[in-house]
Amino acid sequence: MAGEPAIAVHELTKVFARGRVRALDGLSFEAQQGTVLGVLGPNGAGKTTAVRILSTVLRPDGGRASILGLDVVARAAQVRRSIGLAGQYAAVDENLSGRQNLVMIGRLSHLSRRAARRRADELLEQFDLTAAAGRSLKTYSGGMRRRLDLAAALVAEPPVLFFDEPTTGLDPKTRQDMWAWTERLVAGGTTVLLTTQYLEEADRLADTVVVVDHGRVIAQGTPASLKADIGTTVLLVTLANADDAARAAAVVAPLGTHPPTVQGERVEMNVADGARAGSQAMRALDAAGLLVTGLVLREPSLDDVFLQLTGHRAETGPEPLDRPLHPVPPPEPQGVLGR
Amino acid sequence: MTAGTLPGVHEERRASSLRWLVDDSLTIAWRWLVAMVRLPESVVFSAIQPLMLVLLFRYVFGGAISGVRGSYVDYLMPGIFVQTVTFGSVISAVGMAEDLQKGIIERFRALPMARAAVVTGRTLSDLTRNLGSVLLMTGLGFAVGFRIHTTGLAFVAGLAILLLFSWAISWGFALIGLAVRSPETAQLATFPVLLPFTFASSAFVPVDRMPGWLQAFATNQPVSRVVDGCRALMSGGPTVRPVLGALAWSVGLLVVLVPLAVRRYVRTD
Ligand SMILES: Nc1ncnc2c1ncn2[C@@H]1O[C@H](COP(=O)(O)OP(=O)(O)OP(=O)(O)O)[C@@H](O)[C@H]1O
Ligand SMILES: [Mg+2]
């Protein structure tokens, strides 16, 4: 049924704790079949609540949501046959082995005994858990547990998958693997809803991104269009002398997409093209005779997105991804010692 | 929309919902039994408790209590059976509360499994465990002087009544576990039910030795009725009325507790 959205959410509301917490407040979005929808938002935005409602675990207080045209409340039983869930916290049985966990999920998804075993072995292989397959989960590391949890979501090969912060707590290599697995699934036609706090992850995987705050969508679009809105990179200059900061801000200002901000000896500004702006800023500052102790370019964090979208920092936002992309190396002592 | 248009949908087995309830419950029961077997210590300790009860009651109280028909060992064994399976069912409360605290229930709720299977499977695994305890106790009972005064078939029928009752209270305890949601509290919450029903009963002493105000309760409450039914089938005496009394309580409890526990599970989030 082409054209029907895989996931459709309309004006969803959910109120917790006897009306005190409005977790979802008119949330609406859609995801087309065979695409990845990235749901971005700070802690408490309502991401997990939305995923729990979409996966029929929780009932909404208002609004509608459907999976492949099936209402998540009225046709919950049918919806469950089309979805796979990897929640924010690993939902696996500590007392069983990895393989036993997957076989159990297969049986509960109504695969035959043989099919459940075969599928378990396939997934263990794919997620690099074959060596640990027979071991109790108590001996698994956090990352292994997370991988098993993702595998459990895939047991019945559902056409719609929910991954709630799937890469939180994974090492960089496993995170890369996870991205590759997701891409392969989507290439096969699966629809994935993925919540994340990392813009980088949404950028890499998502066809569409919705930014959620206080239970409603505050921005949506392709990663490219969202990033174009906020400037792609943050340029951070640290000066040897705080008195120079204002002058340095004036010097780099023409390179930015937004006016720079000054804080002590630090000047911060969004720029469109990180690599070029970095070297241009360095040259311009040098020409102006300003002594710079650090020049860092970093990807915009979710915090930056929020700053741009809402004018306020996310209240309990995540750590910014402080990864220097092009750190300026100190001047190399070239051939001084030898001669 | 046909499954064929969707990517990678497994050919799902077609079956009636009753078939799924049975299958899924057995899978959940398997889950708990595997977990138990993977922890050999827990198997050993669950076996020790019933065996110790048999020995303690046989030798500590065995000589002190008189006024029962026949040998006290024969009087006592059905009581110990019932008491042990009742205590053994407490684990249903702890297990359900533990499940609620962990994420796995979240996954179960998103699976196309029968909703009632999570609790049914749990109670079935406890039924299996109780069967093991009863067989062990029977073996040790014979070794310390317990004898059947009826037929082998009647004895087996007695065990069946006993296990049916244990299954019924497993549902009740599962309900307690679902309601209190913490394993520690669940265990504590079962005692106010457990202690009066097992001790103010005909399990260890004849009810007619109790003060008058207690007798009415002690005679008619479910544990006494089940003990009396088992005793009749194992040691002889009038059979029909006690057996019917035991069955009535067990079936009645199941009829009330099963829907309550399932509803509680479905409504909890
Ligand atoms: N079961 C619950 N009872 C009461 N309040 C809840 C419950 N679940 C969530 N909330 C509240 O609802 C709001 C949204 O929570 P939710 O878990 O959906 O956020 P989130 O976007 O997933 O956050 P995070 O990034 O921290 O996982 C929060 O204020 C949270 O405290
Ligand atoms: Mg969350």
Side-chain angles (χ1 to χ4, degrees):
Chain A
M1 214 178 282
E4 174 149 51
I7 303 168
V9 175
H10 183 74
E11 291 290 316
L12 217 51
T13 58
K14 179 74 197 180
V15 177
F16 283 116
R18 289 183 247 298
R20 302 241 320 281
V21 182
R22 195 165 263 282
L24 296 183
D25 188 14
L27 186 75
S28 302
F29 57 77
E30 275 187 5
Q32 298 308 317
Q33 292 186 31
T35 66
V36 178
L37 176 76
V39 177
L40 254 100
N43 293 138
K47 304 182 296 293
T48 299
T49 305
V51 166
R52 293 180 75 213
I53 290 175
L54 286 170
S55 53
T56 76
V57 172
L58 197 68
R59 288 169 76 98
D61 292 330
R64 274 180 286 119
S66 61
I67 306 297
L68 296 165
L70 300 167
D71 188 272
V72 295
V73 178
R75 324 260 314 255
Q78 277 154 294
V79 168
R80 289 184 197 117
R81 276 179 226 144
S82 310
I83 59 168
L85 168 68
Q88 186 165 3
Y89 307 101
V92 281
D93 190 333
E94 286 290 306
N95 300 313
L96 304 183
S97 72
R99 187 168 187 271
Q100 284 166 338
N101 262 287
L102 294 182
V103 171
M104 173 178 74
I105 304 293
R107 294 293 287 152
L108 294 175
S109 307
H110 302 138
L111 303 186
S112 72
R113 203 163 279 137
R114 243 188 68 221
R117 286 196 196 119
R118 206 184 46 221
R119 187 73 184 131
D121 290 334
E122 248 170 60
L123 286 165
L124 289 164
E125 178 81 42
Q126 185 187 336
F127 285 84
D128 207 13
L129 288 168
T130 306
R135 272 162 43 191
S136 160
L137 251 60
K138 295 198 175 102
T139 70
Y140 277 36
S141 73
M144 291 164 80
R145 222 168 284 218
R146 193 74 210 154
R147 258 146 53 207
L148 186 72
D149 198 51
L150 290 169
L154 304 184
V155 165
E157 299 186 65
V160 177
L161 287 168
F162 299 107
F163 291 163
D164 195 358
E165 299 197 21
T167 61
T168 303
L170 291 186
D171 63 29
K173 174 177 179 304
T174 317
R175 181 175 296 190
Q176 297 279 347
D177 287 348
M178 151 74 205
W179 290 348
W181 294 322
T182 307
E183 277 165 350
R184 215 163 36 190
L185 285 165
V186 174
T190 306
T191 310
V192 178
L193 184 156
L194 159 106
T195 78
T196 181
Q197 307 202 359
Y198 306 122
L199 202 61
E200 187 194 3
E201 184 163 285
D203 193 15
R204 162 78 188 267
L205 289 175
D207 300 289
T208 316
V209 172
V210 297
V211 183
V212 177
D213 192 20
H214 299 299
R216 52 166 72 236
V217 174
I218 57 169
Q220 60 184 314
T222 63
S225 70
L226 271 178
K227 285 206 303 191
D229 287 349
I230 60 162
T232 42
T233 310
V234 177
L235 171 74
L236 184 66
V237 180
T238 313
L239 295 140
N241 191 339
D243 299 339
D244 291 341
R247 212 148 61 82
V251 168
V252 296
L255 305 170
T257 52
H258 295 79
T261 56
V262 177
Q263 214 176 41
E265 68 286 341
R266 288 150 61 99
V267 177
E268 198 177 318
M269 184 178 67
N270 287 351
V271 295
D273 180 346
R276 266 189 53 206
S279 42
Q280 283 181 348
M282 199 62 203
R283 261 180 271 129
L285 290 164
D286 194 38
L290 294 162
L291 208 54
V292 172
T293 58
L295 191 149
V296 172
L297 289 160
R298 64 170 168 80
E299 297 250 294
S301 65
L302 191 57
D303 242 15
D304 300 317
V305 179
F306 267 79
L307 195 60
Q308 293 300 324
L309 288 172
T310 64
H312 69 86
R313 295 240 158 218
E315 279 146 36
T316 47
E319 292 289 299
L321 202 65
D322 245 324
R323 192 161 59 90
L325 291 180
H326 310 283
V328 177
E332 261 174 58
Q334 277 170 343
V336 179
L337 289 177
R339 306 288 113 112
Chain B
M1 168 171 338
T2 65
T5 64
L6 299 174
V9 179
H10 262 285
E11 195 45 48
E12 199 181 87
R13 288 181 306 136
R14 296 261 158 247
S16 69
S17 47
L18 179 67
R19 168 77 192 281
W20 277 353
L21 174 61
V22 173
D23 272 20
D24 295 346
S25 300
L26 291 178
T27 303
I28 298 289
W30 169 86
R31 164 192 175 215
W32 286 112
L33 293 172
V34 167
M36 193 174 89
V37 174
R38 288 186 74 96
L39 274 178
E41 309 89 290
S42 90
V43 181
V44 171
F45 286 115
S46 356
I48 285 179
Q49 193 190 333
L51 296 179
M52 280 195 24
L53 284 171
V54 171
L55 292 178
L56 285 174
F57 275 94
R58 165 71 183 84
Y59 292 108
V60 176
F61 299 110
I65 294 168
S66 57
V68 299
R69 262 189 310 116
S71 96
Y72 184 58
V73 182
D74 294 343
Y75 180 85
L76 192 62
M77 283 307 294
I80 297 177
F81 284 166
V82 176
Q83 193 216 25
T84 304
V85 297
T86 310
F87 273 77
S89 300
V90 169
I91 196 127
S92 294
V94 180
M96 281 321 304
E98 256 172 15
D99 252 13
L100 280 188
Q101 278 197 334
K102 293 186 182 140
I104 188 121
I105 288 262
E106 194 97 347
R107 181 177 295 293
F108 288 155
R109 288 179 193 283
L111 284 174
M113 62 186 289
R115 308 234 90 186
V118 174
V119 196
T120 311
R122 175 72 227 190
T123 58
L124 285 179
S125 79
D126 295 328
L127 181 63
T128 314
R129 233 177 63 110
N130 273 331
L131 171 66
S133 308
V134 166
L135 292 180
L136 274 177
M137 287 190 296
T138 308
L140 185 64
F142 284 139
V144 298
F146 171 61
R147 293 292 173 266
I148 301 171
H149 298 276
T150 54
T151 64
L153 197 66
F155 178 73
V156 171
L159 293 187
I161 283 183
L162 181 70
L163 291 170
L164 182 71
F165 176 68
S166 84
W167 195 45
I169 46 180
S170 283
W171 283 94
F173 287 156
L175 178 62
I176 291 180
L178 287 166
V180 303
R181 307 186 72 129
S182 125
E184 294 78 19
T185 318
Q187 177 142 28
L188 292 174
T190 57
F191 287 138
V193 186
L194 209 55
L195 296 180
F197 280 95
T198 48
F199 286 102
S201 76
S202 60
F204 309 114
V205 289
V207 169
D208 54 28
R209 299 270 197 88
M210 297 175 192
W213 56 269
L214 193 54
Q215 279 189 23
F217 169 76
T219 310
N220 295 302
Q221 58 111 330
V223 171
S224 295
R225 289 294 188 202
V226 173
V227 170
D228 294 345
C230 287
R231 211 167 259 152
L233 285 166
M234 295 174 183
S235 309
T239 318
V240 177
R241 267 181 64 91
V243 168
L244 284 182
L247 282 176
W249 263 119
S250 302
V251 172
L253 285 171
L254 278 171
V255 167
V256 174
L257 294 172
V258 171
L260 281 179
V262 170
R263 222 172 62 141
R264 182 81 215 187
Y265 167 75
V266 171
R267 298 241 169 124
T268 312
D269 56 51

